[in-house]
Amino acid sequence: MIEVENLSKHFGKVRAVDGISFEVKEGENLILLGTSGCGKTTTLKMINRLIEPTKGKIIVNGKNVTEQQPEELRRSMGYVLQNTGLFPHYTVAENIAIVPQLLKWDKKRIADRTIELMDKLHLDHKYLNVFPEQLSGGQQQRVGLARALMADPPVLLMDEPFGALDPVTRFNIRKEFIELDELKRKTIIMVTHDVQEAFELGDRICLMDNGKIMQAGTPAELLFKPSGSFVRGFLKEQRLQLEFKAVKLNDIWDLLPSIKTRSSKEAIHCNCTVWETLEIITSGKENAVAATNPVNGETKTITFTQLMSTFYQYQNSEAV
Amino acid sequence: MNEGQQTLLDFMRQESGKLASQTLTHIGLTFISLLIAIAIGLPLGILIAHKRKLSGGVLGIAGVFQTIPSIALLGFLIPVLGIGAKPAIFALLLYALLPIIRNTYTGITGVDATIKEAARGMGMSYSQILFKVELPLAMPVILAGIRTATVINVGVATLASLIAAGGLGEFIFGGISLNNTNMILAGAIPAALLAIVFDFLLSKVQNINFKKVRTGIKVMPVVLLVLACFYFIPSAYAGKLIAGFTPEFMGRRDGDLGLRDKYRLKIHTVVISDAVMYKAAYEKHLDVISGYSTDGRLRAFGLVVLQDDKNIFPPYYAAPIVSAEALKKFPQLESTLDILAGKIDDSTMTSLNYKVDYLHQSPQKVAMDFLVAKGLYKEPRNGNGGTVRIGSKIFGEQYILAEMYAMLIKGYTDYDVSTKTGLGGTQICFGALKNNQIDVYPEYTGTGLLVMLQVKPQMLDSLVLDKDKVYNYVRQEFKTKYDIQWLKPIGFNNTYALMMRRSEAKNLNIKTISDLKRYLEKK
């Protein structure tokens, strides 16, 4: 879907982005992770040509972006900014309708789509005609997301979309984000410096430093097969939590003891992470949860202790 | 209040027609120039907001325009744009530019970068970003600039009357010259009200919310255009010759009123400042002007005085006038000032004025050269017997006389001297003397007779022909009315006169004011 080849951006003598290449498959969430100044935001902005690359090629949907009208290109990609970038002089409805207006949709279509998104993003209709400054930070970010999704673009670029929110709001919105069906179909490139966020949301992660990609891979790959000391060091903090988030039930399925479950119990899918499973177990009364593996039709009941010991086994086997 | 004086309201009622038309002219001038300034300043502000490298230069130049004194600017413009509406609008436009350009620039550069980036990221084109994001968000700041420009323009537009463009300034400057407070107020109060009202209305526009601003932007040009239309560019000048008279001359019995009364002279007349009048005549923008018979510019610009064959201009013999208090305080003052009595005749004064006005020698040098040549000069004694304060009106001749008196006092007495030159019109100078802010200044008998004493026409008729009668009359009246002493006349008669370009007067064979009248009445 998106191919980046040997991309560079130099500001004077500073090489903000230095010859990076990566690929994002359709429907995949790619996270550009790194500290401030590592070149992740510059990379993102080159994809919708807010910044013109010094060198290299970006192919989206088989077309080289530099061969397209920048305005047309941008209208075909959703863009979410850290500080929302909502127009203070436009109402919520008008803000959401910016791209469809540019694409000259008719009024009815815009109104219908607006309502649809407001509902999906849990925004009350009474906010349609208020100005952004009257909304809370979380609501503003939802509006920003609605604006980006409005024209249903196949590609979504997100620049630290949750960066300006307080931890609680951030946690809630992230959860909604994961559950939002609109996002599941989209190819997303998201920039963040928050490792937890990257591990929770990313199918794959590009860890960047000094304009270069240090490692690209799935969260589990980064954790258990780090390319070097930089990656290892970067993920050192809260490592256990990251591992819980990186490892899915699928990965440890064979190691889990196969205890038949009572059929009355609602089963979770085996592509849940260990973290998610733990959350479900600890929040329930029964100290156990059922999980199914659709591949072989197996269902297993997992208790807290079993999950922890199985995870420990897996950890040991991977870390070698 | 004396019974002879009218109240302000009476005056305004009496002049209501002229007041209304001058107010409309004033509004028109203000808004025509404002409209053009917006048409130029707004795009320029937008340009420099996007090409920041240009901003220093453009703002610098606009800033320089702002610092040029208005009357000087009007003077510069005469050779290029002539007199009347064009230079006035142009000058006002230059003054309005800076606030508009600067606020447009500040407004647009002040728009949050994140919002601009979001707009670009959404796929808006440059013009969409400009019209949908930058301008609406910068609008309160831009409107503040327009508001400033409007208030500046209402004020500066009063000066338009100095170059024959009309407006409320005609009342203000006429009133100052004629010592007529009602006339000043009749111009100043409406001008101040205009400034307050426009400022208030624009503040309302500025405070309405974003949504309404969008419609406001569409409505505003229309409103501005309508207001601008109040100014009808003076129609093609009717008649053969154009006269330019100073506001003072316009309102005086020994001026325009006398010309109409005694000569029945009908000529297309515009009101213009003394400072630019001679130049305008020289540049052929005017044919007949009111001037002073000893003015150096007469010689400089090749003008000739028309003979006053019906004697409407009373004698204007110059003499120092001193407050009685100062004469007591400085016993040697009178005799010192009298040294100059009878020493300067008309042609001497004209050539002294010529040196200052045209050859641009300093009044001090001209005064010194004259005193040295006449053997009157003495080195200053640097005494410390108190300070004599000498005033002068704001033209060359008065500066020269003030310098001469200063040198004489320093050389012949132990008094020190401070000069307060350039005290505007007659009223300002005379007011300063009455209020004991100066001790002495040179005044003219005719001015004393007509401006300060405001004699009745019948009295005027009995005095007018005889210069000694006039002198004795004002001397007597000033003493009793104001306790101010007229000293001996200096010798020359700087009377009002009508003048024309020498070449034109010769071609048309006009030598006297009656000749002028006959020429104008010929079909």
Side-chain angles (χ1 to χ4, degrees), chain B residues 75-76 78-79 272-305 350-351 353-360 499-505:
Chain B
F76 290 143
I78 287 185
I272 190 164
S273 152
D274 166 69
V276 295
M277 181 175 64
Y278 292 92
K279 188 133 201 208
Y282 176 71
E283 305 265 357
K284 301 188 181 171
H285 298 297
L286 295 172
D287 301 299
V288 181
I289 60 171
S290 64
Y292 302 101
S293 54
T294 58
D295 198 302
R297 287 170 291 191
L298 207 66
R299 196 168 141 188
F301 290 120
L303 303 173
V304 62
V305 172
T350 305
S351 63
N353 285 334
Y354 174 71
K355 284 180 190 165
V356 171
D357 294 332
Y358 193 69
L359 302 180
H360 303 301
M499 37 189 98
M500 295 178 71
R501 281 186 302 284
R502 191 179 295 278
S503 54
E504 189 173 41

Side-chain angles (χ1 to χ4, degrees), chain A residues 45 48-50 71 74-75 79 81 83 85-91 94 98-99 102 131 147, chain B residues 114-126 128 132-134 136-137 209-211 214:
Chain A
K45 287 182 181 172
N48 67 358
R49 292 185 62 189
L50 286 176
E71 284 81 25
R74 290 175 196 142
R75 285 170 203 172
Y79 183 47
L81 294 87
N83 294 311
L86 295 178
F87 295 176
H89 58 307
Y90 276 32
T91 61
E94 288 169 327
I98 291 171
V99 181
L102 296 175
F131 290 95
R147 182 175 67 175
Chain B
T114 322
I115 294 167
K116 287 189 214 178
E117 192 192 279
R120 282 181 69 208
M122 250 14 72
M124 286 184 154
S125 64
Y126 273 103
Q128 283 166 333
K132 293 188 173 180
V133 181
E134 289 177 323
L137 288 178
N209 68 35
F210 290 126
K211 298 282 282 178
R214 273 189 254 168

Side-chain angles (χ1 to χ4, degrees), chain A residues 30-48:
Chain A
L30 178 85
I31 310 286
L32 297 173
L33 177 65
T35 49
S36 305
C38 73
K40 55 191 194 301
T41 300
T42 309
T43 306
L44 186 81
K45 287 182 181 172
M46 282 193 279
I47 294 170
N48 67 358

Side-chain angles (χ1 to χ4, degrees), chain B residues 59 307 395:
Chain B
L59 290 174
Q307 231 178 61
F395 53 92

